[in-house]
Amino acid sequence: MSSRRKVMLKVIILGDSGVGKTSLMNQYVNKKFSASYKATIGAGFLTKEVIVDDRLVTMQLRDTAGQERFQSLGIAFYRCADCCVLVYDVNNSKSFPFVVLGNKIDVEKKRAISQKRAMAFCQSKGGIPYFETSARAAINVEQAFEAIARNALAQEDRRFPGP
């Protein structure tokens, strides 16, 4: 047991309010579920030690508040994350809309994810809109945010259809 290497992984759990982020964490770490809903205030975390490929891994699961008023806590909270998990409610289409942006395309020599690979991933997930952008060179930024606005509006229209 002492020969195993220890690893700490910080995993951020993201998603709209009420999709079950805290419930998933509690089920994974504590093997418990509570049917009563209590919104996360700010953020919280749980840890669990597991063995993965002969390594002792401490998973620090960071739960984020889904409410918009707590989203300013995000920057420090997300820093140094090893993985981000997006949770949505399969019964609520409002919790699912998103667009994938591959940024920093102006630094092509360091590219680790090909456009083809990213596009294939987004297609395999139901045709998620994908844009390659450069904030520095202002490439596709307007187009990406226009698509984001369109997706958000389409979701809003589905939730609240007009007369």
Side-chain angles (χ1 to χ4, degrees):
M1 186 82 163
S2 62
S3 66
R4 290 192 171 132
R5 297 184 304 176
K6 292 183 179 182
V7 178
M8 167 73 92
L9 295 178
K10 294 177 187 158
V11 179
I12 307 297
I13 313 293
L14 305 168
D16 277 353
S17 180
V19 297
K21 299 178 297 293
T22 303
S23 294
L24 284 167
M25 281 181 32
N26 281 326
Q27 182 60 249
Y28 180 63
V29 174
N30 301 315
K31 304 289 187 230
K32 292 182 181 173
F33 175 79
S34 172
S36 63
Y37 175 73
K38 184 178 161 196
T40 300
I41 304 297
F45 72 93
L46 293 173
T47 59
K48 180 172 180 160
E49 287 193 344
V50 294
I51 304 294
V52 178
D53 298 331
D54 203 36
R55 290 193 223 170
L56 180 59
V57 176
T58 300
M59 293 182 66
Q60 186 181 77
L61 304 171
R62 296 179 175 206
D63 186 13
T64 60
Q67 293 102 334
E68 197 170 290
R69 63 188 163 134
F70 295 113
Q71 289 177 357
S72 62
L73 299 171
I75 294 172
F77 199 66
Y78 303 147
R79 192 167 282 137
C80 300
D82 295 299
C83 183
C84 291
V85 178
L86 175 65
V87 179
Y88 70 96
D89 179 346
V90 299
N91 302 296
N92 180 356
S93 63
K94 175 193 166 288
S95 71
F96 186 65
F98 60 96
V99 173
V100 175
L101 304 180
N103 196 30
K104 298 189 179 185
I105 62 170
D106 55 300
V107 191
E108 188 64 33
K109 64 183 176 233
K110 292 184 177 183
R111 183 183 277 267
I113 310 293
S114 71
Q115 181 179 27
K116 184 177 178 181
R117 179 179 172 198
M119 289 177 76
F121 171 81
C122 289
Q123 279 303 114
S124 74
K125 302 302 177 196
I128 297 169
Y130 176 72
F131 292 86
E132 292 213 330
T133 62
S134 168
R136 178 184 291 167
I139 299 170
N140 284 338
V141 175
E142 289 288 329
Q143 296 89 331
F145 280 92
E146 184 177 311
I148 290 167
R150 278 200 176 112
N151 274 11
L153 284 172
Q155 288 290 20
E156 188 74 11
D157 290 345
R158 282 192 284 277
R159 283 187 314 175
F160 304 106

